Every structure is written in C-alpha cells, then in structure tokens.
Amino acid sequence: MNAAPFAVETLAQLYARPGFLLRRAHQISAAVFEDACAPLALTQAQYGAMTVLAAAPGLDQTRLARALAYDKVTVMRVLRGLQARGLVERAPVPGNARQLAVQLSVAGHDLLAQAQAAAQAAYQRLLQPLVPEQQRQLVQLLTLLTDGLAHEARAPFVPLFPA
C-alpha cells in the first residue's frame, strides 16, 4: 500500500510541530528521570512535590499545586502516594479545618536527599545531546515560551519565591 504524497507531507509537518516535539521531549524526560530514580521508586511529580515541600514546609495543597503548575487532583494523587509511603504528613491548617498543610516526614527528607544525585544525573543525561551553550539556550527558550503563553495554561504556575 502506497502512502499518498499528501499524507507523507502531512506527517512530516506533524513531526516538526512544536507541540509534537514538546510532548515527545516530555516523554523522554519522564523516562530518563524515572530510570535514574527507579531504585528510589520516585517519579518526577513526586520529586517536584517533595522539593517544594522541603523549601516551604507546611504549605497548603492549593499553593503546592500552583507552585508546581499542577491541577489539584494531580497534587492530591501525588500526595496520597507519598503519604502511603510515609514520606509526607498532612494535617488541618490551624483555623481552617478544610485545608490541609503538608510537610515532609523524616523519611521524606531522607529520600529527597538520596534523590538529589539521581535527579542531577537525569538532568545531565537529558541534556547530554546538547553542548553547554545549546543547553542554556534550550532552557531560555522554554522559559520564554512558558512565560509568554502562561495565560493559556489549564493550571496556573505561581512560584513560591518569584525571581
């Protein structure tokens, strides 16, 4: 069966689209990270949540979600998994029983410390095909893209410590 020239051209266009390439890069990023952190059974989302909580102990779940640019349901799932492993503790916020404050447990701090080297190795492995100047450019361009289109996001990004 021969592919029509239109179909081949359309596929070439699809494979060169920024959205396709960003999705593919995210797949690769997740695979590289999870491979590096497999001995710790840690995902990118869990590592991100733990890193934010280490910087801001007692953060409520809504602010944690915004600090990671995740929706509340995703953060709830991540936190449930971390809590089941004894890595985080959740307690009602004083004066607001409906809101939960989250902090790393001692085991969570220990695992996060162990994960630092693996996460750094994953970062280096992900950027390894690029020379240092290209690595800086990639991060700068992704920052411009995400900052410039932040209003399009389904989940807001509110950094805890703005630049």
Side-chain angles (χ1 to χ4, degrees), residues 93-118:
V93 171
N96 186 349
R98 293 185 323 160
Q99 205 164 31
L100 295 176
V102 187
Q103 64 183 20
L104 291 178
S105 66
V106 172
H109 280 287
D110 291 347
L111 184 65
L112 184 58
Q114 291 174 41
Q116 297 299 317

Side-chain angles (χ1 to χ4, degrees), residues 23-24 27 31-32 41 45 50 57 60 65 70 75-76 89 99 107 114 133-134 140 142 147-148 157 161:
R23 182 186 58 78
R24 186 74 178 126
Q27 287 175 328
V32 166
M50 292 175 70
D60 67 79
Y70 286 144
V75 165
M76 295 279 283
E89 299 162 346
Q99 205 164 31
Q114 291 174 41
E133 180 56 29
Q134 291 171 321
Q140 288 173 343
L142 289 171
D147 287 351
F157 174 53
F161 310 116

Side-chain angles (χ1 to χ4, degrees), residues 2 20 30 33 39 59 61 66 74 88 95 123 143 146 150 155:
N2 291 337
F20 180 89
F33 185 92
L59 199 62
Q61 294 176 175
R66 289 181 178 160
T74 299
V88 299
Y123 175 73
T143 300
T146 56

Side-chain angles (χ1 to χ4, degrees), residues 12-38:
Q13 291 170 341
L14 171 69
Y15 297 153
R17 290 184 190 271
F20 180 89
L21 293 168
L22 287 167
R23 182 186 58 78
R24 186 74 178 126
H26 179 263
Q27 287 175 328
I28 293 166
S29 174
V32 166
F33 185 92
E34 289 176 14
D35 182 54
C37 290

Side-chain angles (χ1 to χ4, degrees), residues 26-87:
H26 179 263
Q27 287 175 328
I28 293 166
S29 174
V32 166
F33 185 92
E34 289 176 14
D35 182 54
C37 290
L40 303 172
L42 201 59
T43 67
Q44 282 179 314
Q46 292 169 332
Y47 179 79
M50 292 175 70
T51 300
V52 170
L53 291 171
L59 199 62
D60 67 79
Q61 294 176 175
T62 299
R63 288 188 55 215
L64 176 61
R66 289 181 178 160
L68 294 165
Y70 286 144
D71 60 78
K72 291 178 186 178
V73 173
T74 299
V75 165
M76 295 279 283
R77 254 185 295 144
V78 170
L79 290 176
R80 278 192 201 120
L82 292 172
Q83 189 173 19
R85 292 175 61 189
L87 302 173

Side-chain angles (χ1 to χ4, degrees), residues 123 126-127 130-147:
Y123 175 73
L126 180 65
L127 294 179
L130 306 174
V131 298
E133 180 56 29
Q134 291 171 321
Q135 293 174 10
R136 283 188 290 280
Q137 286 177 327
L138 176 63
V139 172
Q140 288 173 343
L141 290 171
L142 289 171
T143 300
L144 282 172
L145 181 71
T146 56
D147 287 351

